[in-house]
Amino acid sequence: MTERCIELLLLSEDTPCLLLDIGCGSGLSGTVLEENGHMWIGMDISSAMLDVALERETEGDLILADMGEGVPFRAGCFDGAVSVSALQWLFNADKKFHKPVKRLYTFFSTLYAALSRSARAVFQFYPENESQIELLTTQAMKAGFYGGVVIDYPNSAKAKKFFLVLMTGGAASLPKALGTEEAEDNLQVKYARREATRNARGKALKNTRAWLLEKKERRRKQGKETKPDTKYTGRKRSGRF
């Protein structure tokens, strides 16, 4: 499954990349990343699993961290991220103060910041139902990502696999799912964010430059004090200082 994640990342074949392995466990996925010529850093909530990774003498650096509390790295430092069989754990409320929706947004927003603006993140995960898929994609899009869910072998009970493919560089076509030669197109990719989210009503997507300009124009018509429009209006900050 790690090989499939790498394939969905669409990395340059000739350039080694620095990748984040989320929920790296004992480092098995990291070994696959190494074999494909990439450097990696792994994060996992289990100290026992990280100890196993150390015993295996994996080449990647390891950090003990709960992804629900955020990705603890500086802005723009990773060329991509992968995760195998870990994302679904964010739906669990293992402690009284755990709120899955808040933890999902915290994770996706800090991951978005830690990725370069041309990077992708790919998660292989096991959803329990359609509602979980929708919640994942909603929180990811709210954090700034584009993308959707690619479902490999959608008609197979055993081979069916879900991959959440997220992009930071704007909307783009999602990769074709495997095993869908005879399947309908809507089985290949679900919940993809498209430019059509501006929707039939013609309203601009919230927090975009067009949306901000419309809001400022309404304030002017209401006689409210409003800062002048500039080339920086609506520009997303990089987070670097």
Side-chain angles (χ1 to χ4, degrees):
M1 288 185 286
T2 306
E3 290 281 3
R4 177 60 170 152
C5 287
I6 296 173
E7 181 181 339
L8 293 171
L9 283 177
L10 298 181
L11 300 171
S12 172
E13 294 182 1
D14 302 324
T15 305
C17 296
L18 177 61
L19 304 177
L20 176 63
D21 185 359
I22 302 163
C24 64
S26 62
L28 294 177
S29 294
T31 300
V32 178
L33 299 179
E34 295 166 14
E35 292 172 351
N36 281 269
H38 301 298
M39 300 169 288
W40 63 282
I41 296 175
M43 59 180 289
D44 199 282
I45 194 173
S46 171
S47 57
M49 295 300 288
L50 293 178
D51 286 341
V52 174
L54 290 173
E55 291 175 3
R56 295 181 62 249
E57 297 183 348
T58 55
E59 294 184 11
D61 293 324
L62 305 171
I63 181 171
L64 180 65
D66 176 3
M67 61 181 177
E69 295 180 358
V71 176
F73 297 98
R74 64 179 176 82
C77 62
F78 290 104
D79 302 308
V82 298
S83 179
V84 176
S85 306
L87 188 60
Q88 67 272 3
W89 296 110
L90 284 177
F91 288 109
N92 293 355
D94 298 323
K95 298 180 180 179
K96 288 184 178 180
F97 58 86
H98 281 177
K99 298 180 180 180
V101 173
K102 182 177 180 180
R103 283 167 61 78
L104 282 168
Y105 179 73
T106 297
F107 168 65
F108 284 127
S109 60
T110 53
L111 175 62
Y112 183 87
L115 293 172
S116 68
R117 288 293 80 95
S118 60
R120 291 188 174 201
V122 178
F123 304 82
Q124 182 277 321
F125 69 107
Y126 295 100
E128 290 185 0
N129 49 51
E130 294 280 335
S131 297
Q132 288 192 351
I133 297 176
E134 188 169 357
L135 181 56
L136 282 175
T137 53
T138 298
Q139 295 306 311
M141 303 312 155
K142 188 181 294 185
F145 284 107
Y146 289 81
V149 176
V150 175
I151 307 175
D152 284 351
Y153 305 103
N155 298 319
S156 171
K158 293 184 178 180
K160 186 176 183 178
K161 292 291 184 294
F162 292 81
F163 294 88
L164 177 62
V165 181
L166 301 178
M167 296 167 275
T168 62
S173 298
L174 286 169
K176 181 178 173 60
L178 301 179
T180 58
E181 289 77 8
E182 299 179 357
E184 296 181 5
D185 289 342
N186 63 357
L187 289 176
Q188 296 178 23
V189 178
K190 292 188 177 182
Y191 306 107
R193 177 176 177 175
R194 299 177 176 86
E195 288 301 311
T197 50
R198 292 180 178 272
N199 68 54
R201 296 182 181 178
K203 294 182 180 179
L205 192 63
K206 189 173 181 180
N207 293 330
T208 60
R209 176 178 171 82
W211 180 83
L212 289 171
L213 290 174
E214 288 178 7
K215 183 178 180 180
K216 292 175 73 174
E217 186 60 29
R218 287 197 301 270
R219 289 179 58 85
R220 293 190 185 100
K221 290 180 179 179
Q222 294 168 359
K224 297 180 180 179
E225 184 177 352
T226 306
K227 293 183 179 180
D229 300 335
T230 70
K231 65 180 181 179
Y232 300 106
T233 300
R235 180 176 292 183
K236 182 166 287 189
R237 298 183 181 182
S238 66
R240 300 178 182 178
F241 296 92

